[in-house]
């Protein structure tokens, strides 16, 4: 899958209305507030993986956190869990259409971080060469 981004443009956003507790914008912020969720989505971009493969590819995530995040993502409709009737049983996780669509803002945020991350970090923590 290739994701191409165009140059940043000034975008006019329409009025949305009241920002209630079930506002879709709050859901989006919640998704990006969970650091492991976006990492898992990005890791699954090339196709289904078993939990141990995910854990190895990601690094730094505990088995407990991986399991909790995968279950939450499944409830959210971002991924599908497939269990194969084999001995021993095999389980794989794959992105749904909603999960695949989430790759666009994840990649866009990555591009932004690549462009501006050093400047933001320097503004927050100072330049170590100063």
């Amino acid at each position: 899958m290739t994701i191409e981004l165009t140059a940043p443009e000034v975008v006019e956003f329409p009025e949305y209305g009241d920002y209630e507790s079930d506002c879709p914008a709050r859901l989006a912020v919640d998704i990006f507030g969970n650091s492991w969720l976006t990492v898992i989505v990005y890791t699954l971009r090339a196709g289904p993986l078993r939990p141990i493969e995910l854990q190895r590819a990601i690094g730094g995530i505990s088995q407990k956190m991986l399991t909790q995040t995968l279950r939450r993502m499944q409830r959210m409709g971002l991924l599908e869990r497939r269990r194969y009737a084999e001995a021993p049983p095999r389980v794989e996780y794959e992105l749904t259409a909603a999960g695949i669509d989430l790759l666009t803002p994840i990649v866009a945020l990555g591009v932004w971080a690549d462009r501006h991350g050093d400047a933001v970090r320097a503004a927050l923590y100072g330049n170590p060469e100063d």
Side-chain angles (χ1 to χ4, degrees):
M1 172 187 315
T2 302
I3 299 174
E4 294 184 28
L5 298 176
T6 59
E9 299 176 16
V10 176
V11 179
E12 293 289 326
F13 293 101
E15 289 294 321
Y16 182 75
D18 294 333
Y19 294 100
E20 300 175 5
S21 62
D22 62 347
C23 169
R26 286 183 177 220
L27 174 63
V29 170
D30 181 48
I31 287 173
F32 279 90
N34 181 321
S35 61
W36 291 119
L37 190 150
T38 55
V39 171
I40 291 170
V41 169
Y42 191 76
T43 305
L44 287 170
R45 73 192 179 282
L49 291 173
R50 298 174 72 174
I52 191 68
E53 294 169 329
L54 274 169
Q55 191 173 20
R56 287 181 187 143
I58 293 169
I61 188 170
S62 70
Q63 181 63 46
K64 179 181 178 182
M65 182 56 65
L66 177 62
T67 300
Q68 288 175 347
T69 307
L70 289 170
R71 286 179 183 161
R72 181 170 185 242
M73 292 173 68
Q74 191 177 357
R75 286 191 309 270
M76 295 172 85
L78 298 176
L79 58 79
E80 184 177 289
R81 179 183 188 266
R82 287 204 181 102
R83 185 169 191 262
Y84 297 90
E86 299 174 352
R90 179 170 55 110
V91 174
E92 290 182 340
Y93 291 92
E94 183 173 20
L95 294 175
T96 62
I100 292 169
D101 282 351
L102 195 53
L103 284 165
T104 300
I106 289 171
V107 170
L109 191 59
V111 169
W112 179 90
D114 189 50
R115 289 181 185 159
H116 304 286
D118 290 339
V120 171
R121 195 173 11 262
L124 286 173
Y125 307 112
N127 189 343
E129 298 174 3
D130 286 345

